[in-house]
């Protein structure tokens, strides 16, 4: 990876490090190591479950990075696209959690692996949700107008 640092860019002009991307990168590494292991995931399910798991985890990173790259936010279209990408990442997290649960039910992973993998995914989901919520609040205040803020 490059040396460029990623920042969570906010409409207020304050930039803070985007902490979720390294956490997602760690989740990707763990997921690929686990799903590439034939002891856990036999080759016969490569095209049904494993590919979907790997696509989801990579999609989370892609969506969050693309959302972060929409800066400065110049118009409502930029804002809507950024929120859409963040929502897509959250949906990918939910799908990944489903696939992790399915892997446990089908016996591909044990309880300890399930809990660790799910926790890593939930960390990403909660960090992404917090970023999404922080992006929504300024938009909601702007839509409310100055009269409604004082009530």
């Amino acid at each position: 990876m490059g040396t460029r640092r990623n920042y969570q860019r906010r409409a207020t002009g304050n930039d803070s490090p985007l902490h979720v991307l390294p956490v997602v990168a760690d989740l990707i590494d763990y997921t690929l190591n686990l799903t590439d292991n034939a002891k856990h995931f036999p080759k016969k399910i490569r095209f049904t479950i494993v590919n979907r798991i790997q696509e989801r985890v990579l999609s989370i990173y892609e969506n969050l990075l693309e959302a972060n790259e929409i800066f400065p936010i110049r118009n409502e279209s930029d804002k809507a696209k950024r929120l859409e990408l963040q929502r897509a990442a959250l949906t990918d997290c939910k799908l990944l959690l489903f696939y992790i649960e399915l892997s446990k039910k089908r016996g591909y992973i044990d309880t300890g692996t399930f809990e660790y993998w799910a926790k890593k995914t939930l960390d990403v989901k909660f960090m992404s949700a917090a970023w999404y919520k922080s992006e929504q609040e300024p938009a909601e205040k702007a839509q409310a107008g100055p009269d409604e803020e004082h009530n």
Side-chain angles (χ1 to χ4, degrees):
M1 290 196 187
T3 58
R4 180 172 175 248
R5 298 197 64 192
N6 288 294
Y7 287 87
Q8 179 175 348
R9 296 172 175 145
R10 297 183 179 148
T12 62
N14 297 333
D15 287 351
S16 64
L18 184 59
H19 298 292
V20 71
L21 289 180
V23 178
V24 178
D26 185 49
L27 174 63
I28 290 169
D29 188 47
Y30 181 80
T31 300
L32 295 180
N33 285 337
L34 187 64
T35 54
D36 285 341
N37 185 338
K39 291 179 184 176
H40 289 289
F41 292 90
K43 292 187 189 265
K44 67 181 181 180
I45 64 159
R46 165 80 38 206
F47 295 107
T48 54
I49 296 176
V50 172
N51 284 355
R52 288 184 176 142
I53 290 171
Q54 291 178 348
E55 287 171 11
R56 281 305 126 223
V57 76
L58 293 170
S59 180
I60 293 166
Y61 188 92
E62 292 165 358
N63 285 321
L64 292 175
L65 181 64
E66 284 183 49
N68 194 53
E69 291 300 312
I70 300 174
F71 190 81
I73 297 172
R74 295 188 176 109
N75 53 41
E76 285 302 312
S77 176
D78 284 352
K79 181 72 170 173
K81 180 66 175 169
R82 189 165 152 129
L83 290 171
E84 179 185 325
L85 288 163
Q86 291 168 334
R87 278 192 311 270
L90 289 168
T91 301
D92 286 336
C93 286
K94 291 175 185 176
L95 283 166
L96 181 58
L97 287 167
F98 168 76
Y99 293 135
I100 293 168
E101 186 176 342
L102 181 64
S103 297
K104 169 76 170 81
K105 286 180 182 177
R106 303 290 300 175
Y108 302 129
I109 58 174
D110 61 23
T111 302
T113 302
F114 166 77
E115 290 173 355
Y116 184 74
W117 197 6
K119 184 194 179 309
K120 284 182 152 310
T121 305
L122 287 169
D123 287 347
V124 170
K125 181 182 172 211
F126 294 146
M127 291 175 82
S128 300
W131 183 26
Y132 177 75
K133 184 178 178 186
S134 74
E135 293 280 319
Q136 277 192 312
E137 289 173 356
E140 289 172 357
K141 286 180 183 175
Q143 288 175 353
D147 294 339
E148 293 180 30
E149 288 180 10
H150 298 319
N151 290 337

